[in-house]
Amino acid sequence: METLDLETLKYPIGRFVPPTSVSGEQLERYINDIKGFPEDLKKEVANLTDEQLDTRYRPDGWTLRQVVHHCADSHMNSFIRFKLALTENKPTIKPYEEALWAELPDTKEMPINSSLEILNGLHKRWSVLLESFTERELARTYIHPEHNKESTLAQVIANYSWHCKHHLAHITTTKQTYNWR
C-alpha cells in the first residue's frame, strides 16, 4: 500500500484556487465536469462493497460512503444558492455544518444509491440552469458569511467543478491505495 502525505490525502488534486476571471472555454469545461459528475461517481463506486465504502480516504477523514452522501448534500445546497443568487440581489447564503451532517445516520449508515439518484437528477437540472446563463447571470453574486466573501456565479461554477473532481479523487486514490479494481 502506497503511503501519501496528509496534504495529498486531503487535497489529491490540490486546493481550490478561485479564478479571477473565467473564459467561455473554461466555463464550458467546468459545466461539463459538473454535468458528468454523477456518471463518473457512479462508475467509481459501482463495485465497492460495504466494507470498502466504510473505508476512510485518510486518517480521521470521512468514509467513502460519507463522501458520496456529502456530495449530494453539498450539491443540493449549491443548487439552492445558485437559485438565490439568480432571484435575489447579493443574497447572504446559509452555511451548513458539513462535518456534522456527515455524522448523521443517513450519511454514515445508508446505502449510497439514494444519493447517487439525487445527484443524477440534481445535476440534470443544475446543468440545464448553468448552460442557460448569460454573461449578466454569470456575474451575479452571493455572499458567504463564513468568509464574508462575495463570489460570482462563474467563480462558484469553477469551485464546484473542482469539488466534483476533488471528491472523485478521494475515491479513486483510495481505490488505488488499496489496489481495488
Side-chain angles (χ1 to χ4, degrees):
M1 180 169 70
E2 182 184 346
T3 304
L4 300 173
D5 66 90
L6 189 57
E7 181 71 8
T8 302
L9 290 170
K10 282 182 179 180
Y11 300 99
I13 65 166
R15 291 178 183 262
F16 176 67
V17 178
T20 52
S21 65
V22 176
S23 72
E25 187 177 292
Q26 288 171 310
L27 183 65
E28 187 176 334
R29 279 196 316 268
Y30 296 150
I31 292 171
N32 283 334
D33 291 338
I34 293 167
K35 190 176 192 175
F37 177 68
E39 190 60 35
D40 294 341
L41 180 63
K42 184 179 175 182
K43 285 177 188 172
E44 289 300 331
V45 299
N47 297 313
L48 296 180
T49 66
D50 279 333
E51 183 180 356
Q52 290 168 328
L53 287 168
D54 290 330
T55 301
R56 295 182 185 283
Y57 70 87
R58 68 172 169 86
D60 299 319
W62 291 338
T63 65
L64 299 186
R65 180 184 312 278
Q66 287 172 298
V67 169
V68 172
H69 290 308
H70 160 73
C71 288
D73 291 342
S74 174
H75 295 188
M76 284 188 288
N77 274 284
S78 183
F79 181 68
I80 289 168
R81 291 168 178 176
F82 271 83
K83 291 214 170 211
L84 290 170
L86 291 168
T87 60
E88 299 176 17
N89 188 29
K90 294 184 188 178
T92 298
I93 54 110
K94 170 110 175 63
Y96 70 104
E97 297 290 338
E98 65 181 35
L100 296 177
W101 283 36
E103 295 301 318
L104 295 172
D106 67 310
T107 306
K108 284 184 82 169
E109 301 164 9
M110 274 189 68
I112 60 172
N113 289 348
S114 59
S115 284
L116 293 174
E117 290 172 6
I118 287 169
L119 287 164
N120 189 48
L122 176 64
H123 280 243
K124 283 180 182 173
R125 288 189 60 194
W126 200 5
S127 296
V128 166
L129 186 65
L130 297 177
E131 289 172 338
S132 75
F133 282 2
T134 63
E135 289 296 320
R136 184 175 177 188
E137 289 164 328
L138 287 167
R140 293 189 64 90
T141 62
Y142 65 65
I143 298 165
H144 199 301
E146 287 179 354
H147 318 289
N148 199 29
K149 182 179 172 228
E150 189 173 333
S151 298
T152 67
L153 291 184
Q155 291 170 320
V156 179
I157 292 168
N159 188 356
Y160 273 86
S161 164
W162 173 87
H163 191 260
C164 291
K165 293 187 277 188
H166 167 71
H167 285 304
L168 196 59
H170 284 142
I171 293 166
T172 59
T173 301
T174 303
K175 287 172 65 176
Q176 289 169 353
T177 300
Y178 289 100
N179 200 24
W180 299 336
R181 301 212 188 272

